[in-house]
Amino acid sequence: MSEHRRKPPQPQGGGRAAARRGQSGSSPGRRAAPRGATGSPADFYASGSYGPDSQDSGGDVYGSRAEARRAAQKGGRRRPADATGPGGPTGPGRGRGRTTTAPGKKRLIDYPRGGRHGWRRWVPSWKLVSGLFIGFVGSLVAMVGIGYAMVSIPNENDAAKSQNNVYYWADGKQMVATGTGVNRQNVNIEQIPEAMRFAVISAENKSFYQDSGIDPMGIARAVANMARGGQTQGGSTITQQYVKNTYLSQDQTLTRKFKEMFISIKVGTKLKKNVILRGYLNTSYFGRGAYGIQAAAQTYYGKDAVDLQPSECAVLAALLKGPTYYDPAGNPDLDRSATADANKKRSQDRWAWILGEMHKDKHLSDADYQKAIRKYPMPDGRKATKGMTGQISYLADTAKKYVLAHSDITEAQFDRGGYQIYTTFQKGKVNALTKAVKNVQKDRLDPKHRDLDKYVQFGAASVVPKDGAIVALYGGDGYENGHFTNNADTSGVPVGSTWKPFVLAAAMQYGTYDSKGEGVSPLSKYNGNDHLKVHKPDGSFYLNKDNSYFFQNNESDHPWGYITLRKAMEQSVNTPFVQLGVDVGMTHVRDVAKSAGILGDSMSQDLNPSFAIGTSTPSAIRMADAYATFAASGKQTDPYSVTAVKVNGADAPSFVKPRPAPKQALDPNIANNVTDVLENVIQNGTGTNAKALGRTAAGKTGTTDENKSAWFVGYTQQLSTSVAMFRENPKDHKLLSMNGTAGVDSIHGGDIPTSVWTEYMKTALKGKNDPGFPAATEIGTVQNEVGAPSPTPSVTFTPTTPTPSATPSPTPSETTPTPTPSASASCTFGWGNTCDGNTTGTGTGGADTGGGADGGTTPTPTVTETTGNGNTRGNGNGNGGFFGGPAG
């Protein structure tokens, strides 16, 4: 047998086996002797020289095989017994090699822990924990030190460097350059009244003169909020706000917050408090393009900062909370909730609170407080800035709102300047629209000699179908004339019967509760008589609040009888569309209007019967865009006014929204059928004044209750344009009746608004071809209102398109009755509406006596549209101008 497999001789005395046998052979009931207690070689092997206390162990640390095994499991290493020790070639117990463990090599980080097993291996030692903590604190200190050393102290003069914003026409030529550079001037601390300084301190940072320049809790809140994806909260010190104004962007990011903290610490330790306060007041944005307290004093009170009174200082300090919402003049173009009334109330409340805090903080004596709180010092109205006159002011305003709504640029950043804004506005069309309004105003209105011609306003917009580009708008008389509300992009003016096409489109798409989901044909008949009760689907009637019956009225009491929806649209008869809206469901009407491009928050929230005839108040831009959906065979494209934004020639990184993409909002044939019905409105109905355009067009007139507004919205395939006319009380911005305006009994959509539309469209489309509209094919089923007579004779449908004439055909005479077909006649219902008259032999019908233009100048009866309610414009508040959110 080879040497390495030979069994070593056992120690004398029987060795370990004998020892075990000896132990096991002990007398019953007697415990075995402990190892080493018998003096045998086995005892020596087990616990003598190999024990942990043996001086001859040769460095072994284990006293038994079991201990050796446990040690091996805990990470010890196996090696042969020491040659000089017991069991070695020269030592006692010589035989097979011994299993021992030597101390392992030490690790830098003892984790998982050696010498432990089970869960104890994963419990860090106190040395490890304390070491990591010390390392973290040390790294943090080093990072703060490096950050502190690298940042520089900001200078308020650097922040004063502002540039112009330059706007461009659609053809790339410059429209206007306007900015804030001239509306800024730094002043020293002596020129800032103490009342202004303490107003800011009491309102923004009471501990300003004691704190270190930062608010750790405020920063922690902001960081935690950003980590959760929410908005940052306020709480920054004046020092931090000064740093943000002069040195940093307005981006709400963790990087900016930490950088702000480092700079604020350095500023707080290096600069005196009054220097910081002066810098803050010289760099803060007060709204209206005013940066710094000197510019704010001139803008709001027409005086130098040094001359401000304590009461005025409190108003200006309130603006620092947010000028959009605390400027008493209002900012409805930026946010529909920032009306003049709402802003004034917010400003007054904060003004009173700031004065109270100043008094509480001993910065105002009792006498000074009583004097300051006595009367709110109303700031001056807005003023036109350089270049912002005429329609340019409204064009720039519309473009600015679009940029702010589609980028991360703040108003304060934008007003600081340096942007190049490329718009969709076409100079020739803008001038043509302005000229059309001015010409009609000159010809028809005489405010110097007729009181009822005073305060008349216009708003208009022109949009390209299938594209959404706003090529022209008319916003008012201009900033230079004190008119700061953009009439083209604000709401508050009810649209009246221009809403009826959405009701008809909804009927074609959804049908009525009685048609089992099948679309309704425009040839369906409804009762067009005046003063009718409105049926609910369950057969009951709508009631007023006092439980009396609700009656829907028309403009006149003409006895129309049962007429087709096509005829009702032509003559703008209310009662058929109110009942149709109820039968279809007002939610369906709302959905169709929204899909066409009307913003939901500009619609009346009360879906009562009057909703069908225009109690909603969308902007002129949105109405033009919604009718463009009909012109584009149901393809809707959101309106836009800016194609690019650049900074120093490079694209602004945050303005990345592409041009809106068209989407199929309505079935093409539904849209084409609406267009065919609206063509008939111009050819034979209330919009006949538009026939002077001399080309194929479609449109709808609209007039509201008490004659408080009048609209015309019309389109060709190339252009969709809306025109609104109204009177507004300049003090409370409520709508006034136009009865008697222009020297006539009442103004209707087919009169002055249609005249403006026609004159503008002639110029805008000059030299363009006349493509007409896609042919409409028969749609839906004839679903007459309950109670309507059965059609006799049978009706066939052959759509035709009227041929435009360069010379408008005369308005149909209202006194000449339309021939009634005999019972045996077979009528062909072309879109010329030759048989759209009333019924034969029905007691309520009577003869269709034709329909005059919606103008109030034709003989009685004058058949026009009206709607009930909506007499307050809301201070020019844009209930969703064309941007959706902040109006605009």
Side-chain angles (χ1 to χ4, degrees), residues 719-743:
L719 211 54
S720 176
T721 303
S722 65
V723 179
M725 177 182 177
F726 55 94
R727 288 183 71 217
E728 182 181 69
N729 188 319
K731 294 181 179 179
D732 59 14
H733 302 286
K734 289 185 177 181
L735 297 183
L736 304 172
S737 174
M738 290 189 291
N739 289 332
T741 295

Side-chain angles (χ1 to χ4, degrees), residues 546-749:
D546 61 359
N547 289 326
S548 61
Y549 286 116
F550 167 78
F551 289 92
Q552 179 59 53
N553 297 320
N554 294 326
E555 177 74 7
S556 76
D557 59 0
H558 180 71
W560 290 103
Y562 285 92
I563 55 175
T564 65
L565 296 173
R566 179 181 175 82
K567 186 70 174 179
M569 186 77 76
E570 172 193 299
Q571 298 299 326
S572 203
V573 185
N574 288 337
T575 48
F577 282 97
V578 170
Q579 188 62 61
L580 178 64
V582 171
D583 293 350
V584 172
M586 295 301 179
T587 55
H588 288 320
V589 175
R590 179 192 61 196
D591 293 343
V592 166
K594 188 174 182 179
S595 66
I598 302 298
L599 296 176
D601 57 3
S602 69
M603 296 189 205
S604 174
Q605 302 304 304
D606 188 354
L607 301 183
N608 59 26
S610 296
F611 180 78
I613 51 174
T615 56
S616 297
T617 60
S619 67
I621 290 176
R622 280 291 173 174
M623 283 301 289
D625 181 69
Y627 272 50
T629 301
F630 299 137
S633 295
K635 287 187 176 179
Q636 191 273 332
T637 310
D638 288 336
Y640 68 100
S641 59
V642 177
T643 58
V645 178
K646 297 181 181 295
V647 180
N648 298 323
D651 289 336
S654 64
F655 186 79
V656 296
K657 186 177 178 65
R659 294 186 183 186
K663 52 183 178 291
Q664 195 70 45
L666 296 174
D667 180 270
N669 198 37
I670 291 177
N672 292 340
N673 269 272
V674 171
T675 293
D676 195 279
V677 171
L678 297 186
E679 281 186 84
N680 186 57
V681 171
I682 290 179
Q683 290 298 314
N684 303 299
T686 58
T688 53
N689 281 342
K691 289 172 68 175
L693 179 61
R695 63 173 64 228
T696 308
K700 183 69 187 76
T701 57
T703 308
T704 57
D705 186 37
E706 297 182 30
N707 204 206
K708 290 181 177 177
S709 64
W711 288 73
F712 184 76
V713 188
Y715 55 92
T716 65
Q717 279 208 67
Q718 301 106 320
L719 211 54
S720 176
T721 303
S722 65
V723 179
M725 177 182 177
F726 55 94
R727 288 183 71 217
E728 182 181 69
N729 188 319
K731 294 181 179 179
D732 59 14
H733 302 286
K734 289 185 177 181
L735 297 183
L736 304 172
S737 174
M738 290 189 291
N739 289 332
T741 295
V744 297
D745 291 340
S746 59
I747 298 293
H748 298 94

Side-chain angles (χ1 to χ4, degrees), residues 406-481:
H406 294 86
S407 71
D408 295 333
I409 301 169
T410 66
E411 184 187 9
Q413 286 175 308
F414 189 89
D415 284 349
R416 188 171 292 174
Y419 295 96
Q420 298 88 52
I421 303 97
Y422 294 83
T423 75
T424 61
F425 304 125
Q426 297 180 20
K427 185 176 182 180
K429 288 183 173 62
V430 171
N431 290 341
L433 185 54
T434 303
K435 183 179 180 182
V437 173
K438 297 301 182 184
N439 285 346
V440 173
Q441 281 181 320
K442 182 179 178 180
D443 292 343
R444 300 293 303 275
L445 303 176
D446 188 6
K448 291 183 178 180
H449 300 93
R450 283 196 299 256
D451 287 341
L452 292 176
D453 287 4
K454 292 179 179 179
Y455 315 130
V456 174
Q457 297 186 32
F458 290 86
S462 196
V463 174
V464 178
K466 297 183 181 178
D467 182 271
I470 307 169
V471 294
L473 56 79
Y474 182 86
D477 292 334
Y479 285 11
E480 71 277 18
N481 293 314

Side-chain angles (χ1 to χ4, degrees), residues 685-882:
T686 58
T688 53
N689 281 342
K691 289 172 68 175
L693 179 61
R695 63 173 64 228
T696 308
K700 183 69 187 76
T701 57
T703 308
T704 57
D705 186 37
E706 297 182 30
N707 204 206
K708 290 181 177 177
S709 64
W711 288 73
F712 184 76
V713 188
Y715 55 92
T716 65
Q717 279 208 67
Q718 301 106 320
L719 211 54
S720 176
T721 303
S722 65
V723 179
M725 177 182 177
F726 55 94
R727 288 183 71 217
E728 182 181 69
N729 188 319
K731 294 181 179 179
D732 59 14
H733 302 286
K734 289 185 177 181
L735 297 183
L736 304 172
S737 174
M738 290 189 291
N739 289 332
T741 295
V744 297
D745 291 340
S746 59
I747 298 293
H748 298 94
D751 187 13
I752 291 179
T754 303
S755 297
V756 172
W757 181 90
T758 305
E759 182 173 337
Y760 161 71
M761 292 289 277
K762 278 183 178 180
T763 305
L765 296 174
K766 186 176 182 179
K768 306 289 184 182
N769 64 348
D770 182 4
F773 294 109
T777 59
E778 186 174 0
I779 191 170
T781 60
V782 174
Q783 185 71 34
N784 295 331
E785 180 186 6
V786 175
S790 300
T792 303
S794 61
V795 176
T796 59
F797 177 92
T798 306
T800 59
T801 302
T803 303
S805 171
T807 303
S809 58
T811 302
S813 170
E814 290 188 327
T815 60
T816 304
T818 302
T820 303
S822 63
S824 60
S826 176
C827 292
T828 298
F829 278 78
W831 288 130
N833 203 38
T834 57
C835 289
D836 245 1
N838 67 326
T839 62
T840 58
T842 66
T844 59
D848 176 7
T849 58
D854 181 358
T857 58
T858 54
T860 304
T862 303
V863 183
T864 56
E865 65 280 0
T866 182
T867 187
N869 77 33
N871 64 352
T872 301
R873 192 173 173 226
N875 299 307
N877 175 21
N879 243 5
F882 73 101

Side-chain angles (χ1 to χ4, degrees), residues 366-384:
D366 292 345
D368 289 339
Y369 171 72
Q370 292 300 327
K371 180 181 178 181
I373 200 68
R374 187 175 302 140
K375 183 180 179 181
Y376 175 80
M378 188 67 182
D380 298 341
R382 294 179 179 272
K383 303 179 183 69

